[in-house]
Amino acid sequence: MKGIRADDPGGQGRWSFSSQQATLRRLDKAFTAFFRRIGRGRTPGFPRFKGRGWFDTVEWPKDGDGCRWDSQPAHPTTTFVRLQDVGHGRVHQHRPIKGRVKTISVKREGVRWYVVLSCDEVPADTLPATGAMAGIDMGVASLVTTSDGNHLVNPRHLAKTADRLATAQRDLARKTRGSKRRVKAVARVARLHAKVRRQRLDGTHKATLSLVRAYDVIVHEALHVANMTRRAAPQPDGQSGFLPNRASAKSGLNRSILDAGWGVFLTVLAHKAESAGRELIAVNPANTSRICARCGHSAKENRISQAAFRCTACGHATHADVNAAINVLRAGLALRDAAGAA
Ligand SMILES: [Zn+2]
C-alpha cells in the first residue's frame, strides 16, 4: 500500500493511511472467513469485488488519526466531523455521545450518509430491579412470547413493503443499462430496502427495551440462525429429476425468519441487558416446544398446531409459545442454580 500511495500522491495518497489499512483489514477478514468455511467443507460464496458504486462504508480506526469528531467545538449549534482531504462535514446529531469516541465510520445508504461512532468508557445505564424473571420464545407469528403470556407482535415491515419493493424491482429490470431512468430506479429500490432496515431496527430496539425494563432475568433459546435459514438442499430421486424438497415452503419460512431478524434481536438484547445490569441466559432449545410445562410429559403430539398445545398425558391446554417460554425460563433457572452450586 505504501508503494501505491507513493505512486499516486494526488489519488490514493491523499486519503488517511490508517483508514486504508482498516479497509485492507476488512478485506483480509472476508478472505480468512472464506477459507475457514472451505476448510470446514462448506461451499461459501467467493468474496465479492466491491467497486466504488457498491463500496458503502469507510472506517477510521482512531479519532484524531485522519479524522476528528466534533472538529469545530466552538460552533454554538452545529456538530462537525473532519475527514482527511474531505474537510469539515456538518452532522445532524440526533442524540448525545456517551463515553469517549474511539472509531469513526462513514456509511452511505442510498442518498443518505451516516456517521457511525464507537465509544470507550461508556457509563452503564443501570435500571432499578423489578423482581421479575421471564423466559422468551422467539417465533414467527409473534416476534417474542414471554412466559407470563405477553406476545410482542412481529412488525412485519418487510412483508408490508414487499409489494412496493417488488414493483420497484420489476420496474428496475425493464430499464436500459446506463440510462438516467435506471439510475433513478436503482435509487428507489435502495431507498425502500433502507426504509425496511430502519423500521426493523427501530422495532427491535423498542421490543428489547420493553423486555429489559420489565425483567431482571431474561432466558432465551440459543439459536443458530445461520442453520435455520440455509437454503433447502435439492434431493436427487435416483433417476433424472429431483424429489420435491419443500424448498418453496422452507423459503417462505426463511423469509419470515430473516424478516423477524432474530440474530439482530439477540445482539441488541444482549447489549441492552449488559448496559442495564440485567442477567441474560441462553439455553439449548431442544424439546422446549414439546414438553408439557405442567407435568413434564414430552411428546411431539403435545403440540397440535403452530399455536395450540395440549398435553396427551395430563390434558393441560395452553398457547404453544407460552408453554415453550415457560420451559425456556425453567431450563435457564436450572442452569443458573447449577452454576451457583458449582
Ligand atoms: Zn402435561
Side-chain angles (χ1 to χ4, degrees):
M1 194 170 79
K2 274 183 184 160
I4 292 171
R5 286 173 63 90
D7 285 346
D8 187 16
Q12 293 295 332
R14 292 178 297 161
W15 312 114
S16 157
F17 188 84
S18 305
S19 171
Q20 288 175 320
Q21 252 182 339
T23 304
L24 284 181
R25 261 184 236 119
R26 280 166 58 198
L27 182 66
D28 186 54
K29 207 171 143 190
F31 273 98
T32 310
F34 171 68
F35 287 116
R36 192 184 54 228
R37 288 192 199 111
I38 285 185
R40 287 186 190 160
R42 302 224 185 114
T43 47
F46 193 78
R48 195 178 306 175
F49 173 74
K50 292 210 171 178
R52 68 171 99 180
W54 292 105
F55 197 86
D56 289 333
T57 310
V58 183
E59 187 193 321
W60 284 260
K62 192 163 166 272
D63 187 20
D65 183 359
C67 64
R68 170 71 68 193
W69 173 248
D70 198 11
S71 55
Q72 295 189 18
H75 197 283
T77 52
T78 314
T79 313
F80 287 85
V81 63
R82 195 188 73 78
L83 307 169
Q84 183 175 320
D85 214 65
V86 176
H88 297 275
R90 226 150 51 88
V91 178
H92 175 69
Q93 191 184 340
H94 54 86
R95 57 177 157 152
I97 306 298
K98 292 179 184 171
R100 191 170 53 80
V101 175
K102 194 171 116 193
T103 74
I104 298 179
S105 301
V106 172
K107 188 178 168 198
R108 170 174 58 187
E109 252 186 41
V111 293
R112 294 167 196 238
W113 291 81
Y114 292 90
V115 178
V116 183
L117 306 174
S118 72
C119 300
D120 267 343
E121 295 154 27
V122 181
D125 202 2
T126 49
L127 292 169
T130 61
M133 300 186 279
I136 57 174
D137 177 76
M138 298 185 284
V140 172
S142 303
L143 178 63
V144 160
T145 302
T146 64
S147 47
D148 43 18
N150 289 324
H151 300 276
L152 296 182
V153 179
N154 192 358
R156 303 280 289 277
H157 298 299
L158 188 60
K160 280 183 196 164
T161 325
D163 284 351
R164 280 176 70 198
L165 196 57
T167 310
Q169 267 161 343
R170 266 199 308 277
D171 192 45
L172 168 63
R174 280 198 298 266
K175 301 288 184 271
T176 319
R177 276 194 161 271
S179 70
K180 265 187 188 165
R181 288 181 171 208
R182 188 171 186 280
V183 173
K184 279 188 188 170
V186 168
R188 204 174 304 131
V189 169
R191 208 158 53 229
L192 281 170
H193 270 299
K195 188 180 174 72
V196 170
R197 207 158 44 234
R198 286 195 306 274
Q199 286 176 326
R200 188 193 291 165
L201 193 61
D202 180 58
T204 300
H205 275 282
K206 283 175 179 156
T208 50
L209 185 62
S210 71
L211 286 174
V212 163
R213 278 202 180 127
Y215 306 104
D216 295 343
V217 180
I218 301 164
V219 187
H220 67 84
E221 303 154 89
L223 283 183
H224 297 287
V225 176
N227 287 335
M228 299 189 70
T229 55
R230 193 160 295 152
R231 239 220 226 112
Q235 296 175 343
D237 61 3
Q239 292 156 5
S240 56
F242 286 87
L243 295 167
N245 63 355
R246 293 181 38 84
S248 56
K250 199 168 176 193
S251 303
L253 181 62
N254 288 350
R255 169 73 173 286
S256 298
I257 290 170
L258 293 172
D259 193 357
W262 286 338
V264 176
F265 184 88
L266 287 179
T267 309
V268 173
L269 181 63
H271 282 142
K272 284 213 191 338
E274 191 187 339
S275 172
R278 302 303 206 208
E279 194 175 349
L280 196 63
I281 304 170
V283 297
N284 182 350
N287 298 328
T288 48
S289 61
R290 54 174 67 174
I291 294 176
C292 169
R294 187 197 275 166
C295 76
H297 176 63
S298 173
K300 85 167 179 276
E301 292 75 28
N302 282 350
R303 184 153 191 172
I304 48 184
S305 73
Q306 183 65 36
F309 184 94
R310 183 181 295 135
C311 179
T312 53
C314 75
H316 177 53
T318 179
H319 193 289
D321 293 343
V322 177
N323 181 73
I326 293 171
N327 288 329
V328 167
L329 174 61
R330 256 184 220 153
L333 294 182
L335 209 63
R336 191 164 169 250
D337 286 349

